[in-house]
Amino acid sequence: MADILVFGAHPDDAEFGMGASMVKFVRSGASVTVCVLSRGEAGTFGTPQQREAEMRAAARKLGGEIEILSFRDCQVFDSYEARIKVAEVVRVHRPRLVFAPYHTNAGNPRDGGAHPDHTATGTIVRSALRYARFAGLKDLKGEPWNADHLVYYMVPRAHIPSLLNDVSDYMEEWEEIARCHESQMSIRDGKVLDFLRAMRVAYGGMLSVRYAEGFLTDDPIPFDLPLFLRGNSPPAAQPGKG
Amino acid sequence: MADILVFGAHPDDAEFGMGASMVKFVRSGASVTVCVLSRGEAGTFGTPQQREAEMRAAARKLGGEIEILSFRDCQVFDSYEARIKVAEVVRVHRPRLVFAPYHTNAGNPRDGGAHPDHTATGTIVRSALRYARFAGLKDLKGEPWNADHLVYYMVPRAHIPSLLNDVSDYMEEWEEIARCHESQMSIRDGKVLDFLRAMRVAYGGMLSVRYAEGFLTDDPIPFDLPLFLRGNSPPAAQPGKG
Amino acid sequence: MADILVFGAHPDDAEFGMGASMVKFVRSGASVTVCVLSRGEAGTFGTPQQREAEMRAAARKLGGEIEILSFRDCQVFDSYEARIKVAEVVRVHRPRLVFAPYHTNAGNPRDGGAHPDHTATGTIVRSALRYARFAGLKDLKGEPWNADHLVYYMVPRAHIPSLLNDVSDYMEEWEEIARCHESQMSIRDGKVLDFLRAMRVAYGGMLSVRYAEGFLTDDPIPFDLPLFLRGNSPPAAQPGKG
Amino acid sequence: MADILVFGAHPDDAEFGMGASMVKFVRSGASVTVCVLSRGEAGTFGTPQQREAEMRAAARKLGGEIEILSFRDCQVFDSYEARIKVAEVVRVHRPRLVFAPYHTNAGNPRDGGAHPDHTATGTIVRSALRYARFAGLKDLKGEPWNADHLVYYMVPRAHIPSLLNDVSDYMEEWEEIARCHESQMSIRDGKVLDFLRAMRVAYGGMLSVRYAEGFLTDDPIPFDLPLFLRGNSPPAAQPGKG
Amino acid sequence: MADILVFGAHPDDAEFGMGASMVKFVRSGASVTVCVLSRGEAGTFGTPQQREAEMRAAARKLGGEIEILSFRDCQVFDSYEARIKVAEVVRVHRPRLVFAPYHTNAGNPRDGGAHPDHTATGTIVRSALRYARFAGLKDLKGEPWNADHLVYYMVPRAHIPSLLNDVSDYMEEWEEIARCHESQMSIRDGKVLDFLRAMRVAYGGMLSVRYAEGFLTDDPIPFDLPLFLRGNSPPAAQPGKG
Amino acid sequence: MADILVFGAHPDDAEFGMGASMVKFVRSGASVTVCVLSRGEAGTFGTPQQREAEMRAAARKLGGEIEILSFRDCQVFDSYEARIKVAEVVRVHRPRLVFAPYHTNAGNPRDGGAHPDHTATGTIVRSALRYARFAGLKDLKGEPWNADHLVYYMVPRAHIPSLLNDVSDYMEEWEEIARCHESQMSIRDGKVLDFLRAMRVAYGGMLSVRYAEGFLTDDPIPFDLPLFLRGNSPPAAQPGKG
């Protein structure tokens, strides 16, 4: 059982995409399990063994659980078997809230850079959550489970988020966890964390906080009055800026 | 001072568009003021006097305040003067949360039916909230005020909402308040309330509740973990339906 | 041979999505065949036998033909074999007008709720219609056939339709046909017909009629002058409403 | 009284944008009035007198009526006065079907080239049709009138049409009428008619006919069964092409 | 080795979609290889042998190289194997610039007519370019290669291009090359070249040149100051036209 | 005369939005003039005198010219007079390339934060460039001039750019110029430059460079072969990252 189940295609997707939110969730008392589909073995940097060790280290530091599936890196495709496999994980963990990489480029045809494993993971999870509910699916083990919400995170790309999580107080812990993926620190000419931090500053700017992580949903979000009434009234801004 | 300030172009916009949410807000203890820009005097049904009486009756029943501005029906246009007028209302009421009719058809070019006064009202309110913050705007009376959130409601039209408010428990009170606009009960061949109720059923269907009202925002919404963890786990649905 | 061929993934898709239009078509003299890809056997309610009996009852009441393919529920995927199978059905029935569930969420990323079998059915039918025309496709039996139009219906979801069919006079017959799917009457807490009716009221509101069903096309629609000149001039509406 | 009322900002907009459709309408027995907002006096080519003579010649050749309003070229802006002026024209002619240049670039931000008078004309007409219905609008003369349909044409630009009118049989007459605007024949290096013809070939290709003119609507279009059943079954196409 | 590698699903895709640009590239000194996935054997017109001869003739006339893969017409689907096969071609030719048919209808749901092989080809090429870079992909032969740019061409359909190539000086050579696909000259009732030419006139109109071919990219384009400063200052246009 | 003319609504728009590109342009030998519509006098920070001094200091440091118009802060609206005023500036400076803040939120309804003066400036400039070409516009002084290109910059907001300018080598000079706007350094809690730098890192990430500034255009961009062939072949990336 986990309150929150986070899917990723590769060992560092969850930490790089929404790691500070995971820290915030765990610190607020929620249980978090990260489920990684592959060991990222097609990558230029790091062996599968090294990468598995890195994700286990990150999970320990986070205080979450980890589960590793046997998909192959660069071979994540939506199929009936893939949906069943993921739906079984959902039925085991019985989460209220599920995260996955965003499943489509449709809202932003310019998002050319998305790794096809990422969009495929989102697509599989989306159908798997539905299948997990169906009592009549004979191929699927476990008790039916209805995860209430599916929220997508962005493996750093160009989508406009519809939800922003203020993570200003969790950036140092985030950096420690992200650094567990040591073999990946040389990508983007060694500037990968600078880039990931800049994305969080840019999203923070949309919310008038220092750092935020961005998310998307398929479905409209329930309106929550206290969320809107509780506020932090930033000081009056200046015309050309606000 | 009001927690919530709701703008409408015509006397019945707020009640027809988000009346059940207003009931829910007031019943949960929030103070609500409705600010109507015009008396709807270009309408086919009802005199300005009658319509003012109707909106006052609706406000009484709701338990909210009302303020009526002197815009002319069918002559609501975005201008500096209009923004200043609305910004002054904002500075007087100092709300945390502001509602207005949705300001654009850009996201849905098919929404041909929107009354131009509605989109103009949304556009004016949007800039007025910004102006209300500016200390250097000499033409604008009152103390600068930063309303934290602007949320748009839909005077019944074809937009896809990004926020849905479950109003299943407030539909009877909503109907009473909507019926205060007696002069308008003959529009849509006398079926206006049937149509408005059907829209709420349709939106409710997106949220798996009986009735909902739909809203939009310009900006991403802050992520609120309790909102997503607290759930009501509807019973497992059936494949072809879910 | 059929004038109109309607594809559905599950036994009740066509009746729930465009049942009143099917009644209207048959009553106006057109022949309608419904082709269902699966028996909906993964569903929570109803056995395959029961569901087949229900769809046969609905077809009888409608006065249409029915054809049942051997796809598996929750396993409808676009593939060469699937396209060939559907193209053969098209070559057998030789329809002028084909209907299928809408094939994409691209125009509305919020439409998270679509069952993947529905979008897959639309995708397969779309390519199958093209394949049915190709003389050089050796794997495909039957004489080449060019169905003139493909129109998509909406298994009740959040898309904005581009075509609306006034079905105000056919709602009672629709309800009788929809009720044939007895095993499905308990979904949405037993309110499924209320929900489907409300969607038709909402679409009706866009056309100024009581009830309508909504459709989409991929291609521009031929302009038809008589359609636009023949009108029903609804009485002058009122400003805040029209 | 006119069956069809076509608005244009400048003397040649209607003929260049939908001239072949106007020929087709008149030849099928419908009465057509063209209402031009300005004399195009800011143009590089042609005096206002010359341009008025040209549009009168085109109207004669078409067999339609013409009405010229006193807007100024490059000064067409949406305003209450503009809406009232246009609504009065609508109340005089009492058309079933109204055409105007498309009113927005929202659906296609790439459409940078649209003359602002064109989009403004569409915007004014859209609100004017609504105002023409309102009994309570004291500033507006004439009897309320509800034009049933507003369809937009494209002064040649990059929008994707949602309606296509086959005009293959009317291209010679179209060219004669377009050539009445003699002063404009030197634009696009004298290739203006070649360009306009090519646009019609490109739109024709979407409909599998030789020449078509493209249109858009704000609202969903009523579904018309005979339109879809009547067909012309083009011969089976070839894979790479169809 | 080739500067430019152009993928097509069927023998005539590249020549019909971007043939004049290929002529322009070769004439400016760049080396061009066309890689065709299938022989178009499902087509109504032409045998595989004939079509292969036609594409070889076109390549000779162009002055480019050709490579023919063994995909089957109407069976081009995105899969791991397809990506690997195409990635190997990329590693052999080591191009700076790659072209493929546009990979999605997401930006334009109206583009119903796209052959599924075309979008599938674009999708495969897009992932294959990424795979060609990965050192860890054991299944993939050859040295890693990073093609700098992927640009999509349009097998004549309704997308709005984001890049336009002025091909006014290369239309005669284009026509010669296109005519090599003799077996296809009878499609569109023998008017196929007229249609393709009209599309180029329509795109030319967006760039104020006589003929252009249109392209799209997934990613933002690098800003190039000389491109924007070098200009050809068309003569001042006229209001209603510009 | 200027090669490049950059419009801004407020004194710091151009420097904050595209300052590093302006440095790059000037360093490469192009002449740049910045035209500011207002002195930003409605702002919370800085007097008009101070802000004028700041923009003059920035222009000196840049090595560009400056021109200040007499629009009022928070009162920039699209009108005939505004277009004429801006068109006259265009006719005086006769630029090849013009920049302005992006003119619409249509492509991104979430971009709620745009100051209305910014979008209005883009809208005015867009029409003014067209008017500058028209010989028949009697109200407009100066010789007709056709600026070849209009490119929009983003006063830091959430749009997805279609053009990216690598400014990695100009960030130090950019910071010096941005710091000239001393009165604005306290906005965003004194973190304004951090935020602006982070946006450039985020855009840089889309182009695989350290820092970039983002731009948009209305019209398709001319295809430039050397731009695409000249490349910098970044080293092979890693699967989960590329």
Side-chain angles (χ1 to χ4, degrees), chain C residues 17-233:
Chain C
M18 55 170 287
S21 293
M22 293 197 302
V23 173
K24 188 177 177 183
F25 297 158
V26 170
R27 297 305 166 258
S28 77
S31 59
V32 173
T33 292
V34 178
C35 177
V36 182
L37 270 64
S38 85
R39 279 171 180 77
E41 68 275 8
T44 304
F45 307 109
T47 63
Q49 294 70 24
Q50 196 178 352
R51 302 202 67 183
E52 181 171 338
E54 291 171 358
M55 60 180 148
R56 293 198 183 280
R60 264 194 310 276
K61 200 152 261 169
L62 169 67
E65 298 297 315
I66 196 157
E67 172 147 3
I68 306 173
L69 302 186
S70 55
F71 285 76
R72 304 286 310 278
D73 188 5
C74 287
Q75 298 188 46
V76 181
F77 283 86
D78 183 28
S79 71
Y80 179 65
E81 292 69 30
R83 294 176 189 175
I84 291 291
K85 215 187 286 190
V86 169
E88 282 177 6
V89 174
V90 172
R91 285 191 172 180
V92 167
H93 291 282
R94 309 180 88 68
R96 306 306 299 259
L97 173 56
V98 176
F99 288 90
Y102 195 44
H103 65 94
T104 178
N105 299 316
N108 175 18
R110 292 211 168 278
D111 188 29
H115 192 296
D117 283 357
H118 296 166
T119 43
T121 300
T123 302
I124 295 166
V125 172
R126 191 188 192 206
S127 289
L129 287 194
R130 176 184 297 269
Y131 285 16
R133 299 202 307 260
F134 293 160
L137 256 179
K138 304 303 175 208
D139 298 322
L140 182 52
K141 294 188 211 106
E143 281 300 293
W145 178 254
N146 191 356
D148 291 320
H149 296 284
L150 171 57
V151 175
Y152 300 101
Y153 64 96
M154 293 183 288
V155 192
R157 299 246 67 88
H159 280 277
I160 307 288
S162 55
L163 281 169
L164 287 171
N165 198 13
D166 177 359
V167 295
S168 306
D169 295 343
Y170 304 92
M171 285 300 287
E172 282 172 40
E173 282 183 87
W174 166 74
E175 191 169 328
E176 276 183 58
I177 286 168
R179 279 193 189 286
C180 292
H181 296 280
E182 218 177 305
S183 65
Q184 310 303 307
M185 288 301 116
S186 50
I187 56 175
R188 288 187 183 271
D189 298 325
K191 307 284 192 198
V192 61
L193 291 190
D194 289 358
F195 175 72
L196 293 174
R197 202 181 296 104
M199 290 301 295
R200 283 156 172 84
V201 174
Y203 291 139
M206 295 186 195
L207 195 64
S208 299
V209 302
R210 289 253 27 218
Y211 297 99
E213 288 177 344
F215 299 92
L216 296 124
T217 61
D218 284 329
D219 293 307
I221 295 165
F223 185 93
D224 185 49
L225 186 61
L227 173 68
F228 286 101
L229 285 189
R230 149 194 10 138
N232 56 341
S233 280

Side-chain angles (χ1 to χ4, degrees), chain A residues 1 34 76 97:
Chain A
M1 296 273 303
V34 178
V76 182
L97 174 55

Side-chain angles (χ1 to χ4, degrees), chain E:
Chain E
M1 296 276 303
D3 295 320
I4 296 168
L5 182 56
V6 181
F7 286 94
H10 309 119
D12 51 7
D13 289 347
E15 284 87 338
F16 283 10
M18 54 171 285
S21 293
M22 293 198 301
V23 173
K24 189 177 177 183
F25 297 159
V26 170
R27 297 305 165 259
S28 77
S31 57
V32 173
T33 293
V34 178
C35 177
V36 182
L37 271 63
S38 85
R39 279 172 181 75
E41 69 273 8
T44 304
F45 307 109
T47 63
Q49 293 71 25
Q50 195 179 353
R51 301 202 68 184
E52 182 172 336
E54 291 171 359
M55 61 180 148
R56 292 197 183 280
R60 263 194 311 275
K61 200 153 259 168
L62 169 68
E65 299 296 315
I66 196 157
E67 172 147 3
I68 305 173
L69 302 186
S70 55
F71 286 77
R72 304 285 311 277
D73 188 5
C74 286
Q75 299 188 46
V76 181
F77 282 86
D78 182 28
S79 71
Y80 180 65
E81 291 68 32
R83 292 177 190 175
I84 291 292
K85 213 186 287 190
V86 168
E88 282 177 7
V89 174
V90 171
R91 285 192 173 180
V92 167
H93 290 283
R94 309 179 89 68
R96 306 305 301 258
L97 174 56
V98 176
F99 289 91
Y102 195 44
H103 65 94
T104 178
N105 298 317
N108 175 18
R110 293 211 167 277
D111 188 30
H115 192 297
D117 283 356
H118 296 166
T119 44
T121 299
T123 302
I124 294 166
V125 172
R126 193 189 191 205
S127 289
L129 287 193
R130 176 184 296 270
Y131 285 15
R133 299 203 307 260
F134 293 161
L137 256 179
K138 304 305 174 207
D139 298 322
L140 182 52
K141 292 188 211 107
E143 282 299 292
W145 178 254
N146 190 356
D148 292 319
H149 296 284
L150 172 57
V151 175
Y152 300 101
Y153 64 95
M154 293 182 288
V155 192
R157 297 246 69 87
H159 280 276
I160 307 287
S162 55
L163 281 169
L164 287 172
N165 197 12
D166 177 0
V167 295
S168 306
D169 296 343
Y170 303 92
M171 287 299 288
E172 283 173 37
E173 282 182 86
W174 167 74
E175 192 168 327
E176 276 184 57
I177 287 167
R179 279 193 189 285
C180 292
H181 295 279
E182 218 177 305
S183 65
Q184 310 304 307
M185 288 301 116
S186 51
I187 56 175
R188 288 186 182 271
D189 298 325
K191 307 283 191 199
V192 61
L193 291 190
D194 289 358
F195 174 72
L196 294 174
R197 203 180 296 104
M199 290 301 294
R200 284 157 172 83
V201 174
Y203 290 139
M206 293 186 195
L207 194 64
S208 299
V209 301
R210 290 250 31 216
Y211 296 99
E213 288 178 343
F215 299 91
L216 296 124
T217 62
D218 284 328
D219 293 306
I221 295 165
F223 185 92
D224 185 50
L225 186 60
L227 173 69
F228 287 101
L229 285 190
R230 151 195 8 138
N232 57 341
S233 279
Q238 193 246 7
K241 298 305 102 38

Side-chain angles (χ1 to χ4, degrees), chain B residues 78-80 83 102-103 106-107 126-127 130-131 133-137 139 162 217-220, chain F residues 41-44 72-77 105-107 109-117 157:
Chain B
D78 183 28
S79 70
Y80 180 65
R83 293 177 189 177
Y102 195 45
H103 64 94
R126 190 189 192 207
S127 288
R130 176 184 295 270
Y131 286 15
R133 299 202 308 258
F134 293 160
L137 256 180
D139 297 322
S162 54
T217 62
D218 284 329
D219 293 307
Chain F
E41 69 274 8
T44 304
R72 304 286 311 276
D73 188 5
C74 287
Q75 298 188 46
V76 181
F77 282 87
N105 298 318
R110 293 212 166 276
D111 188 31
H115 192 296
D117 284 357
R157 300 247 65 89

Side-chain angles (χ1 to χ4, degrees), chain F residues 176-187:
Chain F
E176 276 183 57
I177 285 167
R179 279 194 190 285
C180 292
H181 296 280
E182 217 177 306
S183 64
Q184 309 304 307
M185 289 301 116
S186 50
I187 57 176

